[in-house]
Amino acid sequence: MRISGLAAVTGVPLATVKYYLREGLLHPGRQTSATQARYDETHVARLRLVRALLDVGGLSIASARGVLSCLDPGDVFEALGRTQEELPPRVTRDVDLSAAREAIAALGWQVPDESAALRQLAVAMQAVREVGLPLTPDRLQAYAKAAHLVAEQEIDRMPQTSVADALTYAVVGTVLYEPVLLALRRLAHQDVSARRFASST
Amino acid sequence: MRISGLAAVTGVPLATVKYYLREGLLHPGRQTSATQARYDETHVARLRLVRALLDVGGLSIASARGVLSCLDPGDVFEALGRTQEELPPRVTRDVDLSAAREAIAALGWQVPDESAALRQLAVAMQAVREVGLPLTPDRLQAYAKAAHLVAEQEIDRMPQTSVADALTYAVVGTVLYEPVLLALRRLAHQDVSARRFASST
């Protein structure tokens, strides 16, 4: 199909499609003349992915490009690690990792001594404490239990159909399952509030 | 203290402090002359909160202002609901809620028929499905179980010291505990990968 067809099929405005092409988020079409190119199903799929990463995942253009660059064939777990480095919140400043390391050690988790997620945890824990919110060991344990439950399900159900499928799942899933979990957390707040409130009257 | 003292104590650049004052994120100091104002501990606490919401919570100035406006004295659960409306991802467009409603009904949760979090869930579920990632009922159940575990802990441990403390906890905690949970999910991926990988060799 032509670029106008690609825009029509996906519902993405033509100017936006051209912008993604310029920004390298979308791979070029097959050139059929000096001014014409053809696009196929791979472009439709990639466009849907780009929109999901930007709109639902809330990524910037630069972050989305970083995440998409992890989709090159290679080792799945290595790609997962690279994705974590590319994703916000990117922690570039120096941060004291000792509290986060201690928390992970208390959980008995096997994680690399230096990882983007460990820095993210350190910053997140520090922010909670700085504004005076409680972060007791049993609170951390509840979060850790919930997170591990989710991660086991996610890793165990990784598609085995092809390396490309597994990669897409690992890389894109890191971004796109997050909003599902967060929305459910907020809905669970409403459910728990409703129950506690009903039982106290 | 003067505004320069406020900047020094919090480590926030003076120009940034002035910007937050202009944007209404920080309440004005007590005017002592036409050109001087005094700031106190409430300003220090609010500045730390603003920085945490912007840097760690990843909120925009407008979102942070909306969240902070929920900190006026009032009903805690009502404030929690208003916070959810103010927080990203703000879903303003029409979205088909039926799949999200079905999922919540299957869980037996009591949530309002129209809530920001329900719209967020609908958008998040649709995005996952559009890019072809799996979202089976057992996957949703795993997320829901994890989310409920977290929400129970969060609601049950709400500070009872004062309404103001409970409000801060409900409003700010919705934003600032999220990064802790997400960082732990990514670390759990690493732990689960390490274990599965070790046991398969």
Side-chain angles (χ1 to χ4, degrees):
Chain A
M1 70 193 93
R2 294 191 189 174
I3 194 165
S4 56
L6 182 61
V9 166
T10 56
V12 177
L14 184 59
T16 308
V17 175
K18 288 181 177 169
Y19 175 65
Y20 294 158
L21 279 168
R22 281 199 306 278
E23 288 289 329
L25 294 176
L26 186 66
H27 47 295
R30 188 171 48 87
Q31 212 71 30
T32 53
S33 77
T35 56
Q36 294 257 327
R38 290 280 161 177
Y39 299 85
D40 58 28
E41 284 309 309
T42 65
H43 295 90
V44 173
R46 173 55 70 103
L47 254 184
R48 294 223 164 100
L49 193 52
V50 168
R51 294 297 275 195
L53 290 176
L54 297 178
D55 293 353
V56 182
L59 299 192
S60 66
I61 296 282
S63 289
R65 189 166 38 218
V67 169
L68 291 168
S69 76
C70 297
L71 286 180
D72 298 328
D75 177 67
V76 174
F77 292 117
E78 207 258 324
L80 193 56
R82 272 188 292 140
T83 304
Q84 294 196 349
E85 294 287 340
E86 292 290 345
L87 283 178
R90 287 187 82 149
V91 180
T92 45
R93 59 175 154 140
D94 273 346
V95 53
D96 181 2
L97 293 175
S98 50
R101 277 214 188 95
E102 247 171 64
I104 293 299
L107 295 165
W109 287 8
Q110 300 175 18
V111 305
D113 195 49
E114 264 293 338
S115 85
L118 197 67
R119 291 200 302 281
Q120 287 161 6
L121 179 64
V123 168
M125 287 174 67
Q126 198 182 317
V128 165
R129 286 182 168 141
E130 268 176 10
V131 302
L133 291 173
L135 193 59
T136 53
D138 64 332
R139 168 69 59 103
L140 268 171
Q141 255 167 32
Y143 288 146
K145 192 176 160 187
H148 213 271
L149 200 79
V150 159
E152 280 167 36
Q153 165 82 227
E154 289 171 336
I155 300 269
D156 289 346
R157 300 300 165 85
M158 185 177 281
Q160 305 291 329
T161 36
S162 70
V163 172
D165 284 353
L167 257 174
T168 303
Y169 176 85
V171 171
V172 181
T174 299
V175 187
L176 286 188
Y177 285 121
E178 258 178 26
V180 176
L181 179 62
L182 295 183
L184 282 168
R185 169 176 171 251
R186 295 185 191 174
L187 287 162
H189 280 153
Q190 299 178 341
D191 177 61
V192 175
S193 300
R195 285 166 202 278
R196 299 284 189 276
F197 185 71
S199 65
S200 69
T201 51
Chain B
M1 71 193 94
R2 295 193 186 169
I3 194 166
S4 56
L6 182 61
V9 166
T10 57
V12 177
L14 184 59
T16 308
V17 175
K18 289 181 176 169
Y19 174 65
Y20 293 159
L21 279 168
R22 282 199 307 276
E23 289 289 329
L25 294 176
L26 186 64
H27 47 295
R30 187 172 48 84
Q31 211 71 29
T32 53
S33 76
T35 57
Q36 294 259 324
R38 289 279 163 176
Y39 299 85
D40 58 27
E41 283 310 308
T42 66
H43 295 90
V44 173
R46 173 56 69 105
L47 254 184
R48 293 223 165 99
L49 193 51
V50 168
R51 293 296 276 195
L53 290 177
L54 297 178
D55 292 353
V56 182
L59 300 191
S60 66
I61 295 283
S63 290
R65 189 164 40 218
V67 168
L68 291 168
S69 76
C70 296
L71 285 180
D72 298 329
D75 177 67
V76 174
F77 291 119
E78 208 258 322
L80 192 56
R82 273 187 292 138
T83 304
Q84 293 196 350
E85 295 288 338
E86 291 291 346
L87 284 177
R90 289 186 81 146
V91 180
T92 46
R93 59 174 154 140
D94 273 346
V95 53
D96 181 3
L97 293 176
S98 51
R101 278 215 188 94
E102 247 172 64
I104 294 299
L107 295 165
W109 287 7
Q110 300 175 18
V111 305
D113 196 48
E114 263 295 337
S115 85
L118 197 67
R119 292 200 300 281
Q120 287 163 7
L121 180 63
V123 168
M125 285 173 67
Q126 197 181 318
V128 165
R129 284 181 170 141
E130 269 175 8
V131 302
L133 291 174
L135 194 58
T136 54
D138 65 332
R139 168 69 57 105
L140 268 171
Q141 256 167 32
Y143 288 146
K145 192 176 160 191
H148 213 270
L149 199 81
V150 160
E152 280 167 38
Q153 164 81 227
E154 288 171 336
I155 300 268
D156 289 345
R157 300 299 166 86
M158 185 177 284
Q160 305 291 329
T161 35
S162 71
V163 173
D165 284 353
L167 258 172
T168 303
Y169 176 84
V171 170
V172 181
T174 300
V175 187
L176 287 188
Y177 286 121
E178 258 179 25
V180 176
L181 180 62
L182 295 183
L184 282 169
R185 169 175 171 253
R186 295 185 192 174
L187 287 161
H189 280 154
Q190 299 178 340
D191 177 60
V192 175
S193 299
R195 284 168 202 280
R196 299 284 189 275
F197 186 70
S199 65
S200 69
T201 51

